Each structure stands twice: as structure tokens, then as C-alpha cells.
Amino acid sequence: MNKKLISTLTLLALSHTAVANYSASDKAHKIAQDNIIVDGHIDVPYRVNRAWVDVTEATKGGDFDYPRAKQGGLNAPFMSIYVPASLDNSPQSTQLAHQLIDSVEAIAARAPDKFAIAKTVSDVEEHFKAGLISLPMGMENGSPLQGELSNLAHFYQRGIRYITLAHSQSNHISDSSYDLRRKWKGLSPFGKTLIKEMNDIGMIIDISHVSDAAFYQVMELTEAPVIASHSSMRKFTPGFERNMDDDMIRALAKNNGVIMINFGSGFVTREARVWRDQYSAARKALIEKEGEDSPKVATFDEDYKKTNPYPFSTLEEVLDHIDHVVDVVGIDYVGIGSDYDGVGDSLPTGLKDVSTFPNLIQGLLDRKYSEADIKKILNENVLRVWRDVERYAKAQKS
């Protein structure tokens, strides 16, 4: 059937049917509840900064709140301290980072019976035993460092435990995979210095978003394992540099690092990527023809989706990414980096919010993953990296 003939309502009905058809077994739910689940990237802080909601209680919108996290077994979501590239090279980037950290601290302070800030692997483990959801933090975009190593130390003290070096534009640290200008042809001079300093202080290096050249320079310079906190496999999205290719995965495994699979449909399938590119091109053409203030521009999003429904990916296609990492380098180098609250309404059927982790576990069980291997994906691989980073930093201080 031609997708252009499917109405938006029909698409939504199909999507809801697909979600309803996912049924996790008691075993999948038990695995979710009995084990730590670490998610490398959830954009709750930026979400509540834009439009405040109390995620310590049930919320009407968004992908994360306490009841849904408990239902899904999610108990160690890295809170993303996301600073848009539009604020690069401005004091506002550092200001926003502090405000978002404040918001995470406020969540934990407002509901100490539900949440706790986690700064170490031991914190995560102790919180799990106590029935609390850990809130470790990672900074998405190193712009707030402002080229000052003292800021690195300060953000570490505040609880930041990984830094995504760049975001959608090249910054003072690194080129971005999205930025074709390639200002530094990889890392900047400061960025190269920063790698050693992050190793020494115990800050995990996150290579999601950086250019391929920057990735390989990080691999040459780092003495500790790194992560891709929310990336997927380029094999399924040819030409999309934001995802990682097989050679990069091999280099990451050699480094003993972990790729944490992004759930956003545009990261999962070529079809969703092509749709996004065509959508952007059509919107740009309309603005050029009609002007930014045209009523047609105001209704463009709704009108476009009526005739070009979004091709949501599926749980099975997310599992294909996990399978591919395992096929290329083995089970020890893959984890979860959903990007919940960060990819809008592009989430795949079967994985629409944090309550659906049992669906993912059921899918892994159906693909004959052992419970031991599932635990590696859920937490053991990334906690190994975090421990190794902690261990390396401790050794430098002794």
C-alpha cells in the first residue's frame, strides 16, 4: 500500500495496535525488576526546563516519570544535562548547565523516598538495594566548559559523570558529525588536552555526536574506556555519520568501551532518516516560497504528516542493532541509550516510554539471549566502563 494514502488516524491506529500486541512474559518483567537497568541518555532535565512537570508523580506527556520508570524497571537513567549548540561560546551555556543540574537535584530532594543522585557505581548499587531510582548525570555538549579545565573539575564536583564532547555543531572541543565545516578536522587543541584531563579526573568520555575523525583521535588519546551514550549502527542508516560504523565498533571494543543503542526511529531505520530529510527540505522550500510568517508554514507539520505519515521503527528493528553489535564484536560492548524525552514522537512501536523495558527484554529472550547476556546489556557492560574510569582516575591520584 502507498503510505501517502494512509491517513494520520489510520497510522495512529496501526501504531497503537502494534504496541498492544507486544506482551512481555512474567520472566521478562521479573528480569526488569530484579536487575539494575542503566539508560545512558534521558532528556528529562531539558524537558522540565522548557515546561515544568513533576516527574516524581505521573505525568500526562513525555516519556519518563516515576510510576512508569518503576513499572519498566528503570532504576539508573543518566539525566542529560543538554545544552543546545546555539548557546556555544556564550556564558548562557554554562548557566543553563547549572540550572539543569539544579533541576535534577530538586527532583531527588523533592522525593528522597523515590530518587537519589548517583555519582559512583557504588551509589547506583546501594540505591538499587534501597529501592531508589538513581539519577547519575551526563553533560550533552561540552560547551559549558568554556575552555577552562577548572570548569571540568567544578562540573565533576556537581555530579556530572560523562561529557558528550560536542552536539549539533563543532564547538571549542570537537567537530560534530552534523557540522560539515569540520573546523578542527577532529578534536581542537583544547579537546586533545581535555581527553587526558577527563581520564585523570574520572569523567567518562562520550563520543556520541562527534565526527568520525574526532572519534578516532579520542581512541588514540584516551587511557580509559569511552561510551557512545545514545548512538546506533550506521549499517542500518547508510551515510548517517551520527551513528557508528563497524570499524568504529571494533575500535570501541578494543578500547573496552560500550555503544548504548538509541531508540529514536531516525537512528534505527533508513526510512525514518529519509523521511526526516525530505520533511526538512520541503519545509525549507515552503519558507523560501511563502515566507516564515505564512499560515502555510504554521500548519506545515500537520499537513505534511497527513500525506506523508512518519515511518515509525519497531522494537524488532531496535533489536537488530543490538544483534549487529553482538555479531561484530560480542555481547560485552552494547547497552541502552534510549534518548527518551529527546527524540520527540519518533519512538518505535513497542518502546514508547520507560515503562516498556520489559518488551525489550522479551524481545531479547525471544532471540535466545541468555539471562546472563541480558544483564550485560541492561547494566553490566556500562557499569564496567564506569568502574574502569573510576579505577584509572584513582590510580592517577595515588
Side-chain angles (χ1 to χ4, degrees):
M1 182 183 293
N2 187 335
K3 289 184 179 179
K4 291 185 178 181
L5 299 179
I6 302 176
S7 70
T8 301
L9 289 176
T10 302
L11 178 71
L12 289 172
L14 290 172
S15 296
H16 287 307
T17 300
V19 172
N21 285 340
Y22 287 108
S23 180
S25 64
D26 290 344
K27 181 177 181 179
H29 282 284
K30 187 173 190 304
I31 291 172
Q33 296 299 326
D34 289 352
N35 292 279
I36 296 170
I37 298 179
V38 180
D39 189 319
H41 192 91
I42 292 188
D43 278 293
V44 167
Y46 197 73
R47 168 191 166 197
V48 301
N49 185 67
R50 293 176 65 188
W52 189 86
V53 290
D54 186 359
V55 295
T56 71
E57 306 290 345
T59 61
K60 290 183 179 179
D63 309 324
F64 175 97
D65 56 40
Y66 180 77
R68 284 182 286 174
K70 291 295 285 185
Q71 180 182 347
L74 176 63
N75 36 46
F78 269 90
M79 296 285 100
S80 174
I81 306 304
Y82 163 60
V83 177
S86 59
L87 298 181
D88 288 357
N89 303 312
S90 75
Q92 286 76 24
S93 71
T94 306
Q95 175 71 14
L96 177 59
H98 284 300
Q99 290 173 342
L100 297 185
I101 296 170
D102 287 347
S103 73
V104 177
E105 291 176 340
I107 291 169
R110 193 163 60 250
D113 58 328
K114 298 176 180 178
F115 295 103
I117 303 295
K119 297 183 179 181
T120 66
V121 175
S122 294
D123 286 345
V124 172
E125 293 170 338
E126 290 303 315
H127 296 160
F128 178 66
K129 292 175 184 176
L132 299 172
I133 293 178
S134 290
L135 297 179
M137 290 181 281
M139 180 186 290
E140 185 178 24
N141 189 359
S143 171
L145 297 183
Q146 304 288 358
E148 297 290 340
L149 295 178
S150 59
N151 282 331
L152 173 68
H154 187 63
F155 281 117
Y156 181 85
Q157 290 168 358
R158 290 216 65 188
I160 297 296
R161 285 302 176 266
Y162 76 67
I163 295 177
T164 315
L165 301 180
H167 192 251
S168 59
Q169 295 179 18
S170 300
N171 60 15
H172 72 283
I173 298 168
S174 173
D175 287 336
S176 164
S177 62
Y178 290 116
D179 192 335
L180 299 181
R181 294 172 294 179
R182 305 299 152 114
K183 178 179 181 180
W184 305 111
K185 295 182 173 53
L187 298 174
S188 72
F190 175 76
K192 292 175 181 178
T193 299
L194 183 65
I195 299 306
K196 181 181 185 305
E197 296 298 326
M198 289 177 70
N199 285 169
D200 289 351
I201 203 172
M203 185 79 77
I204 303 168
I205 298 162
D206 177 21
I207 52 78
S208 287
H209 280 285
V210 305
S211 68
D212 287 6
F215 166 79
Y216 282 110
Q217 289 171 23
V218 169
M219 291 297 99
E220 291 175 4
L221 293 168
T222 186
E223 298 292 339
V226 309
I227 63 170
S229 69
H230 58 307
S231 296
S232 296
M233 294 303 302
R234 202 176 299 174
K235 169 185 168 62
F236 302 98
T237 56
F240 184 41
E241 190 176 345
R242 173 66 178 78
N243 279 346
M244 300 181 72
D245 67 24
D246 290 5
D247 287 340
M248 297 169 79
I249 294 298
R250 293 185 184 99
L252 188 70
K254 186 177 180 181
N255 164 263
N256 212 28
V258 173
I259 178 172
M260 309 181 77
I261 300 300
N262 193 312
F263 293 174
S265 291
F267 293 82
V268 175
T269 67
R270 179 182 180 277
E271 290 76 13
R273 267 272 50 85
V274 170
W275 187 96
R276 178 60 59 186
D277 292 343
Q278 292 175 342
Y279 165 90
S280 298
R283 188 175 189 278
K284 180 180 179 182
L286 181 64
I287 291 173
E288 290 176 352
K289 180 181 178 181
E290 302 286 346
E292 185 80 49
D293 297 327
S294 167
K296 292 182 180 179
V297 174
T299 62
F300 173 79
D301 188 74
E302 180 180 355
D303 294 341
Y304 188 85
K305 289 179 180 178
K306 283 181 180 178
T307 55
N308 302 275
Y310 185 75
F312 291 101
S313 64
T314 65
L315 166 60
E316 285 78 13
E317 289 165 325
V318 173
L319 292 169
D320 289 343
H321 284 254
I322 295 175
D323 282 351
H324 188 68
V325 178
V326 175
D327 289 344
V328 173
V329 293
I331 191 65
D332 296 319
Y333 309 103
V334 63
I336 297 165
S338 66
D339 215 349
Y340 281 132
D341 278 328
V343 289
D345 60 356
S346 75
L347 289 160
T349 57
L351 291 172
K352 290 297 186 182
D353 62 32
V354 296
S355 71
T356 60
F357 281 106
N359 291 346
L360 182 74
I361 294 169
Q362 185 62 53
L364 292 168
L365 289 169
D366 291 344
R367 295 193 180 199
K368 308 306 179 185
Y369 282 80
S370 68
E371 189 167 343
D373 284 346
I374 291 172
K375 290 178 182 179
K376 288 185 176 184
I377 295 168
L378 297 182
N379 75 79
E380 291 177 356
N381 291 339
V382 68
L383 293 183
R384 179 199 71 237
V385 170
W386 193 353
R387 280 194 187 92
D388 286 349
V389 171
E390 290 177 337
R391 191 178 299 117
Y392 180 86
K394 184 176 180 180
Q396 303 318 297
K397 295 170 182 143
S398 60

